Amino acid sequence: MKASVADDAATKICTAIARVPRGRVCSYGGIARVAGLPGRARLVGTVLRTSPTKRELPWFRILTASGKLAFPEGSEPYAEQRRRLEAEGVSFVNGRVDLKRFGWPREASLDEALWGMGEAQ
DNA sequence: AGCGTGACAAGGT
DNA sequence: GACCTTGCCACGC
């Protein structure tokens, strides 16, 4: 099978996504940072879009830095993601999630998250 | 090999 | 906040 997305990077990204706790969310850029790939938010999107293993990941806990879902409002994917998030307690206000409240990692535990990945500078 | 596209983000207006 | 512009870079054609 084709490794597509720089295999290595994809693995790191998937690992990072898998770490987002239930009832919490993380931005694409946040996942990229935790994965040790700062500035590569789009790569996270590419992985989720192309990776066949996404079924096993909490892909619905990933959203944009502004707290909005990446899918167009009204689309089926949007509905499913929002349904899954609300099912685990993540609330929406005006179509967006308050990252200060449901975001992960929290500022205080960012270091810990990076250490866990063994990617801290 | 070149080019448009995209499940993004940060900075400026 | 909303909108634009620029940076990013893997993918497909």
Side-chain angles (χ1 to χ4, degrees), chain A residues 35 72 102 104 107:
Chain A
F102 301 101
W104 178 93
E107 293 304 328

Side-chain angles (χ1 to χ4, degrees), chain A residues 14-76:
Chain A
C14 289
T15 301
I17 293 175
R19 301 178 65 190
V20 182
R22 197 166 171 292
R24 298 292 256 328
V25 297
C26 184
S27 68
Y28 290 82
I31 290 298
R33 280 195 299 280
V34 173
L37 301 167
R40 310 251 190 115
R42 295 197 88 151
L43 184 57
V44 176
T46 298
V47 170
L48 260 50
R49 175 171 61 81
T50 66
S51 179
T53 67
K54 69 181 177 185
R55 310 275 179 197
E56 307 161 37
L57 296 171
W59 58 271
F60 52 89
R61 294 181 188 141
I62 312 304
L63 28 73
T64 72
S66 59
K68 297 189 297 184
L69 302 191
F71 296 114
E73 206 171 333
S75 68
E76 174 44 37

Side-chain angles (χ1 to χ4, degrees), chain A residues 25 60-61 81-90 92:
Chain A
V25 297
F60 52 89
R61 294 181 188 141
Q81 182 171 12
R82 178 159 179 165
R83 175 166 52 70
R84 292 201 180 210
L85 287 175
E86 295 186 310
E88 46 181 56
V90 177
F92 285 68

